[in-house]
Amino acid sequence: MRRVVCPGSFDPVTNGHLDIIERAAGLYDEVVVAVLINITKHSLFTVDERIEMLREVTADYGNVRVDRFHGLLVDFCESHGISTVIKGLRAVSDFEYEMQMAQMNYRMAKVETLFMTTNPLYSFLSSSLVKEIAEYGGDVSGLVPEPVISRLRARLARS
Ligand code: PNS
């Protein structure tokens, strides 16, 4: 089985992420979306909430599974029989850090990284910008899936 991992923080999942997941699902037998558990990074949504949103918005894809991980991505890959990571590349600014991680993951465990160019519709999109815009009452429709919009509204109304 050709299996690939699509790792990230997904705080929250955006239409850019979803586009990469959907295209990867067309290329691989199984896509494992792996949400990083990072207790040192402040996040708007808990890991459970992020996973719930990801499961909801990927429910139509029979070959997409959502999981969580902590520690090294290469250890997650090894324990799940995965040898390839897929990442979206938005702009040159993403490239330097992504290349460094890709080379390090290969150096550590021979885990390959494939970069998929982001749909130009979403090349400016990031979870951080979505959170900032939503926080100040801006319109994020078209940038994140519908279930995420309602979650953002509910979360920000409480804070
Ligand atoms: O969505 P993000 O925050 O840009 O995702 C980054 C992520 C989770 C892919 C990256 O930070 C990661 O793989 N972290 C796990 C820890 C790890 O393996 N570090 C060594 C990288 S060479």
Side-chain angles (χ1 to χ4, degrees), residues 10 12-19 125-128 130 143-145 148:
F10 302 103
V13 57
T14 67
N15 284 344
H17 293 131
L18 203 51
D19 176 64
L125 184 52
S126 72
S127 298
S128 319
V130 163
L143 304 180
V144 290
V148 175

Side-chain angles (χ1 to χ4, degrees), residues 7-10 17 34-36 38 41 69-74 87 97-98 100-102 104-105 108:
S9 304
F10 302 103
H17 293 131
V35 180
L36 175 68
N38 186 350
K41 195 170 160 183
F69 78 106
H70 59 85
L72 293 178
L73 178 62
V74 292
K87 288 283 196 79
Y97 183 52
E98 290 295 343
Q100 196 182 6
M101 281 199 291
M104 188 60 90
N105 284 333
M108 284 191 288

Side-chain angles (χ1 to χ4, degrees), residues 32-64:
V32 180
V33 180
V35 180
L36 175 68
I37 304 168
N38 186 350
I39 45 169
T40 59
K41 195 170 160 183
H42 173 76
S43 57
L44 182 63
F45 294 103
T46 65
V47 171
D48 285 341
E49 289 169 331
R50 286 181 257 159
I51 287 178
E52 206 175 296
M53 285 185 272
L54 276 162
R55 289 203 173 126
E56 195 173 341
V57 301
T58 59
D60 286 345
Y61 308 115
N63 61 340
V64 174

Side-chain angles (χ1 to χ4, degrees), residues 23-142:
R23 287 157 63 199
L27 296 171
Y28 283 85
D29 298 322
E30 186 176 55
V31 178
V32 180
V33 180
V35 180
L36 175 68
I37 304 168
N38 186 350
I39 45 169
T40 59
K41 195 170 160 183
H42 173 76
S43 57
L44 182 63
F45 294 103
T46 65
V47 171
D48 285 341
E49 289 169 331
R50 286 181 257 159
I51 287 178
E52 206 175 296
M53 285 185 272
L54 276 162
R55 289 203 173 126
E56 195 173 341
V57 301
T58 59
D60 286 345
Y61 308 115
N63 61 340
V64 174
R65 189 159 61 79
V66 185
D67 206 342
R68 69 188 71 209
F69 78 106
H70 59 85
L72 293 178
L73 178 62
V74 292
D75 290 339
F76 177 85
C77 289
E78 196 186 343
S79 57
H80 289 77
I82 300 172
S83 55
T84 312
V85 175
I86 197 154
K87 288 283 196 79
L89 265 193
R90 288 168 297 193
V92 184
S93 49
D94 281 344
F95 184 73
E96 219 172 309
Y97 183 52
E98 290 295 343
M99 190 175 73
Q100 196 182 6
M101 281 199 291
Q103 290 173 332
M104 188 60 90
N105 284 333
Y106 188 79
R107 163 78 170 71
M108 284 191 288
K110 299 243 175 327
V111 168
E112 296 280 9
T113 299
L114 299 183
F115 293 116
M116 196 174 249
T117 51
T118 296
N119 182 326
L121 282 175
Y122 305 125
S123 59
F124 53 87
L125 184 52
S126 72
S127 298
S128 319
L129 279 183
V130 163
K131 283 183 281 191
E132 189 172 320
I133 293 163
E135 204 159 341
Y136 291 112
D139 181 13
V140 293
S141 53

